[in-house]
């Protein structure tokens, strides 16, 4: 019996290892290609380690690669993405927390209908809101700017953040909120001093979810920004499409790795809390 269990466990690990290798293979190819001279890439063995390691593709991708008519690399677009993702994640997360708090602890007549409408927004395709959102940005005079793109991501992210926090607060003991009210605590005191400090797991889930969605977005970025205000995902597309002659695959891969580093860091630092946060609101809600 023990031998059969050991054999089954070994088989399970072997299957998991195969899937892990298949999953990580594209990342490996991108990484080794970014450190190869172009001459080695043209030899055709994309799985081989570089014979001559070089950081030149990374330097070119960061500071001198041509994107459209400008040859200043992707660093400006990288910081554009930082300026977009930070306020979009913070504001949409805070508004989602407020919504979840009100929908569970300060319920009002019709709160289920309101939550249903907010939930419905999670299933609206990106393409449907492009024209109405472009009209709104034009009226607010923030079209073709990073500020406008921040607003777009806040609006589109509120549905998901509200869903996360609402389900989490649904399982939070109502007795603690009632006791705080009896002690004279008000709306904001209960939220900031009782609920929010206990919301770390769902805050981590919200940050990972929103960060990856906003950082990896291409459609909103290419629709609502252009030129110097574009995020790095749009710059990557323009980098590949604007190059002529011999394709600099090593520079393209280095630029793609630069774009991928922030999301990798987020997952490495907070990934272990992601599943824990998702499950924390699943008992009741």
């Amino acid at each position: 019996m023990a031998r059969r269990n050991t054999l089954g466990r070994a088989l399970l690990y072997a299957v998991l290892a195969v899937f892990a290798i298949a999953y990580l293979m594209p990342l490996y190819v991108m990484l080794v290609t970014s450190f190869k001279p172009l001459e080695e890439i043209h030899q055709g063995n994309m799985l081989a380690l570089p014979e001559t390691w070089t950081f030149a593709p990374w330097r070119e991708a960061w500071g001198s690669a041509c994107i459209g008519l400008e040859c200043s690399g992707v660093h400006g677009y990288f910081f554009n993405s930082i300026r977009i993702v930070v306020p979009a994640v913070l504001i949409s997360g805070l508004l989602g927390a407020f919504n979840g708090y009100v929908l569970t602890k300060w319920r009002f007549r019709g709160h289920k209908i309101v939550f249903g409408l907010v939930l419905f927004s999670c299933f609206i395709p990106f393409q449907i809101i492009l024209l109405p959102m472009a009209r709104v940005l034009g009226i607010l005079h923030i079209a073709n700017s990073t500020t406008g793109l921040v607003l777009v991501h806040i609006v589109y992210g509120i549905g998901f953040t509200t869903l996360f926090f609402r389900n989490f607060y649904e399982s939070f003991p109502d007795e603690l909120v009632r006791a705080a009210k009896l002690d004279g605590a008000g709306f904001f005191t209960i939220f900031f001093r009782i609920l929010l400090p206990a919301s770390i797991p769902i805050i981590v889930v919200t940050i990972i979810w929103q960060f990856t969605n906003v950082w990896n977005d291409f459609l909103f970025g290419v629709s609502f920004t252009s030129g110097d205000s574009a995020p790095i995902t749009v710059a990557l597309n323009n980098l590949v499409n604007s190059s002529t002659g011999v394709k600099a695959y090593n520079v393209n891969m280095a630029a793609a790795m630069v774009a991928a580093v922030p999301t990798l860091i987020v997952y490495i630092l907070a990934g272990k809390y992601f599943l824990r946060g998702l499950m924390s609101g699943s008992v009741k809600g």
Side-chain angles (χ1 to χ4, degrees):
M1 187 67 180
R3 184 178 178 183
R4 183 179 301 175
N5 290 338
T6 304
L7 184 61
R9 187 182 294 271
L11 183 62
L12 175 62
Y13 285 149
V15 173
L16 291 176
V18 170
F19 279 111
I21 292 172
Y23 181 78
L24 293 175
M25 188 59 70
L27 179 62
Y28 168 79
V29 172
M30 288 174 58
L31 193 60
V32 297
T33 302
S34 69
F35 287 107
K36 289 180 180 177
L38 208 53
E39 295 77 16
E40 283 190 37
I41 296 174
H42 289 161
Q43 293 174 6
N45 190 356
M46 64 179 182
L47 297 180
L49 289 172
E51 296 176 5
T52 304
W53 292 80
T54 175
F55 286 95
W58 286 75
R59 289 194 293 269
E60 183 176 348
W62 182 255
S64 62
C66 291
I67 300 172
L69 299 177
E70 299 289 335
C71 293
S72 56
V74 299
H75 70 280
Y77 306 95
F78 179 88
F79 291 115
N80 280 347
S81 289
I82 294 289
R83 284 192 286 270
I84 293 168
V85 74
V86 171
V89 171
L90 292 179
I91 296 174
S92 64
L94 185 60
L95 292 177
F98 268 121
N99 290 343
Y101 172 46
V102 172
L103 289 171
T104 55
K105 306 306 177 190
W106 296 79
R107 285 174 173 158
F108 51 90
R109 181 176 296 179
H111 67 91
K112 290 185 178 179
I113 297 175
V114 173
F115 177 63
L117 293 174
V118 173
L119 192 61
F120 180 71
S121 68
C122 300
F123 302 98
I124 297 177
F126 283 12
Q127 293 82 355
I128 291 180
I129 69 169
L130 290 181
L131 289 179
M133 189 59 75
R135 177 63 177 159
V136 171
L137 296 181
I139 293 173
L140 297 176
H141 301 289
I142 52 175
N144 197 25
S145 67
T146 56
T147 304
L149 196 53
V150 169
L151 177 63
V152 172
H153 285 298
I154 290 173
V155 172
Y156 203 82
I158 285 177
F160 292 99
T161 57
T162 299
L163 173 65
F164 294 153
F165 280 97
R166 184 264 181 191
N167 286 348
F168 183 80
Y169 290 147
E170 189 71 27
S171 61
F172 195 86
D174 292 335
E175 291 75 12
L176 288 177
V177 177
R178 294 195 194 100
K181 290 179 181 177
L182 289 175
D183 290 338
F187 180 89
F188 292 103
T189 303
I190 295 173
F191 178 71
F192 284 108
R193 301 191 65 176
I194 298 178
L195 263 75
L196 208 56
S199 307
I200 300 301
I202 204 63
I203 289 175
V204 173
V205 169
T206 303
I207 289 175
I208 293 177
W209 177 271
Q210 276 294 83
F211 188 95
T212 52
N213 278 343
V214 176
W215 187 272
N216 295 326
D217 165 68
F218 174 76
L219 182 59
F220 286 158
V222 76
S223 300
F224 300 127
T225 61
S226 63
D228 295 338
S229 62
I232 193 167
T233 48
V234 177
L236 281 177
N237 176 72
N238 295 340
L239 171 65
V240 175
N241 292 329
S242 62
S243 60
T244 58
V246 179
K247 289 287 185 181
Y249 296 108
N250 50 357
V251 177
N252 295 344
M253 294 300 171
M257 288 302 302
V258 169
V261 164
T263 50
L264 289 175
I265 292 175
V266 169
Y267 270 112
I268 291 172
L269 295 180
K272 65 180 180 180
Y273 300 105
F274 187 68
L275 185 59
R276 189 186 308 173
L278 283 178
M279 297 300 293
S280 60
S282 62
V283 176
K284 178 183 177 183

